[in-house]
Amino acid sequence: MQTINTIGIIGAGAMGSGIAQACAASGLQVILQDVQPAALERALKTVGGSLDRLVKKATLDEAGKAAILQRIQTSSEPTAVAKADLVIEAATENEALKIKILQAIEPALAPETIIATNTSSISITRLAAATQRPDRFVGLHFFNPVPVMALVEIISGLKTSQATQDAVTELARALGKTPIGVKNSAGFVVNRILCPMINEAIFALQEGLASAEEIDAGMKLGCNHPIGPLALCDLIGLDVELAVMEVLYESFNDSKYRPAPLLKEMVAAGMLGRKTRRGFYSY
Ligand code: 3HC
């Protein structure tokens, strides 16, 4: 099986930085790339803060923290990921942008390098078709916050080879995650179920059925969810929730997936959740 020692990650947002932390904590070398140097700085701060929680709990010491951070190299050069054994694209949830990034970096990669995408919902088969290596292209979907969440969805496109699926499944296990294999379909499994539930909570809020706090309390206390759907939407990002709902709506042509107008309004107003400090709650 293909050995993976160095991971290139494109995009230093919440998901990219979380994936970088999980990989570095497992002893892998990481090259974290983002065109915005400020995003790289923020990502290193986030990883540092997340590791500090572990130091506080005495599950990690300062030397361990320093070693993890040392394994994360950052760069704003798109081709910085060229020597990686596996490249994980974790850019904004926008198909045209993802294709542009994939086509820009692919010529710099070795022919055997696997490309994975952390897309939340976009077709793996379609993204793979934009590359010259659809057999070595796969969906590797992590969950937020990456260091805490145990699941990784491994999504195979129509041409993804078994060897590619095996290599990334092995990687997910090496990161201490539980992989599930999923066929390519809009939203895969988890977001196909989760995002419509969150969208329905936004409809309930918009219709004035209850306050945000009451809706969230309902799902926490009534269904034992760790946080309510509106607080979860703030964590995921309202822009990501909207992007997933739009993909589901367009892919299935079914009105049950129409994004709640309130969600669209809030995204238009720049209220994206925790990352902008304003969403259904203030931070
Ligand atoms: N890094 C490291 N550890 C973290 C962390 C981080 N960023 N965030 C939380 N933790 C740890 C805490 O240290 C704590 O550990 P302990 O139990 O060992 O002390 C534990 O997680 C719980 O944290 P807190 O007590 O601070 O807060 P909560 O009890 O509210 O838990 C949570 C936080 C784990 C995020 C919890 O609220 C939760 O599970 N929420 C649901 C998350 C979820 O559903 N994510 C999936 C989103 S969907 C997605 O990502 C897909 C995408 O495509 C849209």
Side-chain angles (χ1 to χ4, degrees), residues 15 21 46-47 49-51 53-54 57 59 93 118-121 141-149 153 190-191 194-195 198 225-227 232 235-237 240-241 244 274:
M15 296 308 288
Q21 181 182 333
T46 304
V47 174
S50 182
L51 294 174
R53 284 167 175 252
L54 304 177
K57 285 193 296 187
T59 49
E93 194 64 358
N118 181 57
T119 177
S120 303
S121 59
H141 186 211
F142 291 84
F143 293 82
N144 191 3
V146 180
V148 181
M149 303 301 286
E153 285 181 310
V190 174
N191 282 344
L194 176 69
C195 291
I198 294 172
H225 288 193
I227 53 175
L232 182 55
L235 176 72
I236 295 171
V240 176
E241 167 70 15
V244 174
R274 282 177 185 257

Side-chain angles (χ1 to χ4, degrees), residues 3-249:
T3 326
I4 296 172
N5 294 318
T6 304
I7 310 275
I9 300 168
I10 301 169
M15 296 308 288
S17 58
I19 298 167
Q21 181 182 333
C23 292
S26 299
L28 297 163
Q29 295 296 326
V30 174
I31 305 160
L32 181 59
Q33 189 276 334
D34 197 297
V35 283
Q36 293 179 21
L40 292 167
E41 266 174 47
R42 264 197 313 274
L44 287 180
K45 251 191 176 162
T46 304
V47 174
S50 182
L51 294 174
D52 280 339
R53 284 167 175 252
L54 304 177
V55 172
K56 253 192 204 145
K57 285 193 296 187
T59 49
L60 184 73
D61 58 19
E62 285 292 345
K65 176 188 162 187
I68 293 171
L69 286 172
Q70 217 164 31
R71 284 195 282 274
I72 304 176
Q73 177 196 324
T74 58
S75 175
S76 52
E77 274 303 309
T79 53
V81 296
K83 61 176 192 288
D85 304 308
L86 166 76
V87 172
I88 304 175
E89 173 279 311
T92 307
E93 194 64 358
N94 173 310
E95 185 165 347
L97 174 73
K98 285 185 188 289
I99 289 176
K100 199 171 147 202
I101 290 172
L102 291 170
Q103 291 181 336
I105 57 133
E106 191 179 16
L109 304 180
E112 65 277 11
T113 302
I114 295 172
I115 307 180
T117 172
N118 181 57
T119 177
S120 303
S121 59
I122 298 168
S123 168
I124 303 305
T125 302
R126 244 187 358 246
L127 290 175
T131 74
Q132 303 299 314
R133 60 186 83 196
D135 55 325
R136 271 157 296 131
F137 192 95
V138 68
L140 195 55
H141 186 211
F142 291 84
F143 293 82
N144 191 3
V146 180
V148 181
M149 303 301 286
L151 183 73
V152 176
E153 285 181 310
I154 311 274
I155 307 110
S156 39
L158 202 60
K159 290 188 174 169
T160 307
S161 71
Q162 190 60 49
T164 299
Q165 290 175 50
D166 292 346
V168 295
T169 300
E170 192 56 36
L171 172 75
R173 291 206 179 101
L175 299 182
K177 309 288 186 197
T178 301
I180 58 169
V182 180
K183 279 189 198 153
N184 184 49
S185 176
F188 320 128
V189 166
V190 174
N191 282 344
R192 167 94 173 258
I193 300 167
L194 176 69
C195 291
M197 189 271 290
I198 294 172
N199 193 48
E200 206 57 37
I202 303 171
F203 269 114
L205 180 68
Q206 177 186 307
E207 290 167 19
L209 303 187
S211 67
E213 289 81 0
E214 286 167 324
I215 290 167
D216 277 352
M219 296 307 286
K220 272 168 69 177
L221 304 179
C223 301
N224 256 1
H225 288 193
I227 53 175
L230 300 172
L232 182 55
C233 192
D234 277 354
L235 176 72
I236 295 171
L238 277 74
D239 52 338
V240 176
E241 167 70 15
L242 178 58
V244 174
M245 290 312 299
E246 280 171 342
V247 167
L248 291 173
Y249 189 36

